[in-house]
Amino acid sequence: MKTFLLQFFTWWNSQTLGTRFHTWRFGKRVGEDEAGNVYYEGGIDSEGRTRRWVIYRDYSEASKIPPGWHGWIHHRVDAAPSSEGYKPREWQKPHQANPTGTPLAYRPKGSILTNQHRPQVTGDYDAWTPGS
């Protein structure tokens, strides 16, 4: 019952009832990433391409899509990572979701959200003024 109410009244928890119905009617499951997000395709978009979408495992946040799936969902590659055995390159860092707005967000010294003080200005900077 809780899941139904969340899908009925919120859009940021996994999927809405409209998305669930559209997925049931037109969606073909393509694969799932390591975070539990499920990817679908089906139907045609306004540009004549196959429509692609993701159902997030929990909170809907676009930065939770890993690089391999990001390329597929934005039509940069034709083959989904699940079908081609996508392996990240050795130089690629592991996927990390965007922490903005969370307690894990970066807060530099001097931010109003920290108790640290901003470093003193060293004097090696001259402000620009017109005509100089």
Side-chain angles (χ1 to χ4, degrees), residues 29-46:
R29 185 183 168 125
V30 176
E32 184 175 334
D33 65 16
E34 60 273 1
N37 302 324
V38 183
Y39 298 86
Y40 294 91
E41 68 180 353
I44 303 296
D45 67 7
S46 61

Side-chain angles (χ1 to χ4, degrees), residues 48-66:
R49 302 177 301 188
T50 304
R51 190 165 180 219
R52 297 173 177 172
W53 66 95
V54 59
I55 305 294
Y56 297 97
R57 185 184 60 138
D58 49 10
Y59 187 73
S60 297
E61 169 58 46
S63 69
K64 290 183 178 181
I65 298 177

Side-chain angles (χ1 to χ4, degrees), residues 31-115:
E32 184 175 334
D33 65 16
E34 60 273 1
N37 302 324
V38 183
Y39 298 86
Y40 294 91
E41 68 180 353
I44 303 296
D45 67 7
S46 61
E47 297 177 11
R49 302 177 301 188
T50 304
R51 190 165 180 219
R52 297 173 177 172
W53 66 95
V54 59
I55 305 294
Y56 297 97
R57 185 184 60 138
D58 49 10
Y59 187 73
S60 297
E61 169 58 46
S63 69
K64 290 183 178 181
I65 298 177
W69 283 103
H70 182 271
W72 176 82
I73 206 161
H74 290 283
H75 297 278
R76 302 293 182 257
V77 295
D78 292 329
S82 62
S83 65
E84 67 179 13
Y86 173 81
K87 298 279 189 256
R89 311 268 183 177
E90 63 276 356
W91 47 265
Q92 287 179 309
K93 293 181 178 180
H95 175 65
Q96 185 178 24
N98 183 356
T100 303
T102 69
L104 301 174
Y106 172 69
R107 294 182 173 93
K109 291 180 182 177
S111 168
I112 61 172
L113 298 175
T114 66
N115 58 2

